[in-house]
Amino acid sequence: MNLENLLSYSPVQWQLVAHILVLGFAAQAAGLVYFLTTLRDVAPRYRIASVLGSIVMVSAFLLLLAQSMSWQNTFVLENGTFVRGAGIFSNGFRYLNWLIDVPLLLLQLVIVLGLAAAAARRLGILFVGSGAAMIVLGYIGQFYETSNIAALWIWGAISTIFYIVLLYLTWTHIGKALPRMPESAAPMMKAIRWVFVVFWTFYPIAYIIPAILPTAEGVVARQYLFTTADIVAKVIYGVMITKVAMDLSKAEGYAPALAEASKTSAE
């Protein structure tokens, strides 16, 4: 049982979590609209990145919608305080969602790096394998957050090894790709590196909150960390990847990308 179920919440604390979860699934819906409407502005060789981004949006939207409904149905107001009723709120569903989304997010990056086919396959396998291991190990660890804090730390530490591997791979491969990038795309690629370093780090921080802040305030902080990371690492990251794909398409002479660039300049 996750920490959330063992605590009671003031109306403000309960609403803060309810609101961030609604913002989370609304942002994923907005991202889906963006990826679908810009699909034709990207050259066919990069278009799969937008398709993968759309799949991520649908997956994350459904997860966060379910989390929002679960939060509202699990807790009831009694004597001015929200306490657990008949339901159970679980963060475990987030990990199952990430098991779908993390590999797809990483493959979006592979697509715009401009690697040769063999190198792209090797990097894709490393990304998918490391990402899946990171998520599965974290999923196992979160089951111990209210019963065995030592196990929570151990599983989290092993999961973090794969997280560090992913950070290293993304940082170094983006760095190697920068000299090949059009001048317009290079700043965005540099910013994408920092999305991985900063916002992906929100996840392990949120994971360990039951060990360092097992309070209602900690629960609010955890849900904000998880959901903010989901918005930035999926929606905003996807928009950034799309921008890079458009710049690459324009540099390669893809007509719709050139037309969109001209329209943006005119505005």
Side-chain angles (χ1 to χ4, degrees):
M1 183 175 293
N2 291 142
L3 175 65
E4 282 80 354
N5 299 285
L6 305 184
L7 301 169
S8 59
Y9 306 92
S10 71
V12 170
Q13 291 168 335
W14 184 88
Q15 287 183 73
L16 284 172
V17 174
H19 293 168
I20 193 63
L21 291 173
V22 170
L23 178 62
F25 73 73
Q28 310 301 320
L32 176 62
V33 173
Y34 174 81
F35 296 132
L36 293 177
T37 56
T38 59
L39 194 63
R40 295 296 177 183
D41 297 330
V42 178
R45 65 177 296 189
Y46 304 115
R47 196 169 293 160
I48 188 61
S50 295
V51 174
L52 294 177
S54 299
I55 295 171
V56 168
M57 294 302 100
V58 172
S59 172
F61 170 83
L62 293 173
L63 176 279
L64 287 166
L65 176 60
Q67 289 286 93
S68 177
M69 295 173 64
S70 176
W71 180 260
Q72 295 183 48
N73 294 332
T74 297
F75 300 96
V76 295
L77 185 64
E78 292 185 358
N79 301 319
T81 301
F82 280 91
V83 297
R84 187 166 71 88
I88 295 178
F89 181 83
S90 175
N91 288 304
F93 294 111
R94 286 186 180 268
Y95 290 83
L96 302 180
N97 171 249
W98 295 332
L99 194 58
I100 298 171
D101 292 350
V102 167
L104 298 184
L105 292 168
L106 293 166
L107 290 176
Q108 283 182 276
L109 180 61
V110 173
I111 291 164
V112 301
L113 285 176
L115 299 172
R121 280 194 298 271
R122 285 194 298 270
L123 183 59
I125 291 170
L126 284 172
F127 273 162
V128 172
S130 298
M134 176 182 71
I135 299 304
V136 169
L137 291 165
Y139 175 70
I140 295 171
Q142 58 93 33
F143 283 110
Y144 294 99
E145 66 183 45
T146 61
S147 61
N148 189 337
I149 293 299
L152 177 75
W153 281 105
I154 290 169
W155 286 104
I158 300 171
S159 173
T160 302
I161 293 172
F162 291 96
Y163 168 62
I164 293 171
V165 169
L166 287 175
L167 285 185
Y168 172 79
L169 289 173
T170 55
W171 188 274
T172 56
H173 279 278
I174 290 175
K176 292 176 182 177
L178 286 174
R180 303 192 299 270
M181 291 284 164
E183 186 177 344
S184 58
M188 191 63 73
M189 288 299 290
K190 292 177 181 177
I192 286 171
R193 289 202 294 192
W194 288 106
V195 168
F196 282 103
V197 172
V198 176
F199 289 96
W200 278 45
T201 304
F202 282 17
Y203 293 113
I205 295 173
Y207 168 91
I208 212 64
I209 276 182
I212 61 175
L213 191 63
T215 64
E217 292 81 3
V219 166
V220 174
R222 171 151 79 164
Q223 294 303 320
Y224 268 74
L225 286 167
F226 273 150
T227 308
T228 300
D230 276 348
I231 292 171
V232 177
K234 296 177 183 180
V235 182
I236 296 177
Y237 165 83
V239 171
M240 296 166 78
I241 287 285
T242 301
K243 175 62 167 60
V244 171
M246 287 179 177
D247 288 337
L248 292 170
S249 301
K250 182 174 66 173
E252 295 172 8
Y254 182 62
L258 291 170
E260 182 63 26
S262 300
K263 177 181 175 182
T264 302
S265 298
E267 293 174 351

